[in-house]
Amino acid sequence: QVQLVESGGGLVQAGGSLRLSCAASGSVLSIGTMGWFRQAPGKQRELVAAISSGGTTNYADFVKGRFTISRDNTNNTMYLQMNSLKPEDTAVYYCYMNARGNYWGQGTQVTVSS
């Protein structure tokens, strides 16, 4: 059983920063692409950023230049450094992992006040 546990969400003022973490545990084999998605109230879940097993990154246009995704393959952990946060970044952030199956975390709330 694979579990993903996110941490690092919270309340921050516009212009501030947060760092999200996602730790994978359990019978984790051959982790492929990992990523962060987010879902705001009344909106569909959307991709924020993704990173391949080799470290290739991909970002949504609305976070380019502000967010940085990274991963530690030794510890099966992924991070999302979020800088210059905006109120429109407010959402529940979910981590995702492909490891011979698709796995999701439970989500962590990020709230950016204006």
Side-chain angles (χ1 to χ4, degrees):
Q1 186 75 12
V2 175
Q3 285 189 321
L4 298 179
V5 178
E6 299 113 333
S7 60
L11 173 64
V12 65
Q13 288 188 332
S17 299
L18 285 173
R19 188 190 194 210
L20 305 183
S21 299
C22 174
S25 62
S27 302
V28 180
L29 299 172
S30 299
I31 298 178
T33 296
M34 300 184 75
W36 291 95
F37 288 72
R38 71 186 188 186
Q39 187 167 20
K43 294 188 177 181
Q44 290 188 331
R45 190 173 297 190
E46 59 186 358
L47 174 68
V48 175
I51 184 167
S52 72
S53 58
T56 300
T57 58
N58 180 41
Y59 295 93
D61 286 344
F62 52 78
V63 302
K64 283 181 179 177
R66 300 189 297 125
F67 292 9
T68 302
I69 189 171
S70 60
R71 63 190 284 172
D72 178 349
N73 291 331
T74 300
N75 295 310
N76 295 333
T77 303
M78 176 179 63
Y79 305 95
L80 185 69
Q81 178 65 44
M82 306 186 293
N83 298 328
S84 301
L85 283 161
K86 305 175 181 180
E88 52 263 44
D89 293 318
T90 295
V92 177
Y93 284 70
Y94 298 90
C95 70
Y96 161 83
M97 177 180 75
N98 178 271
R100 298 184 182 178
N102 296 317
Y103 301 94
W104 293 89
Q106 80 287 355
T108 186
Q109 177 70 46
V110 171
T111 302
V112 184
S113 63
S114 57

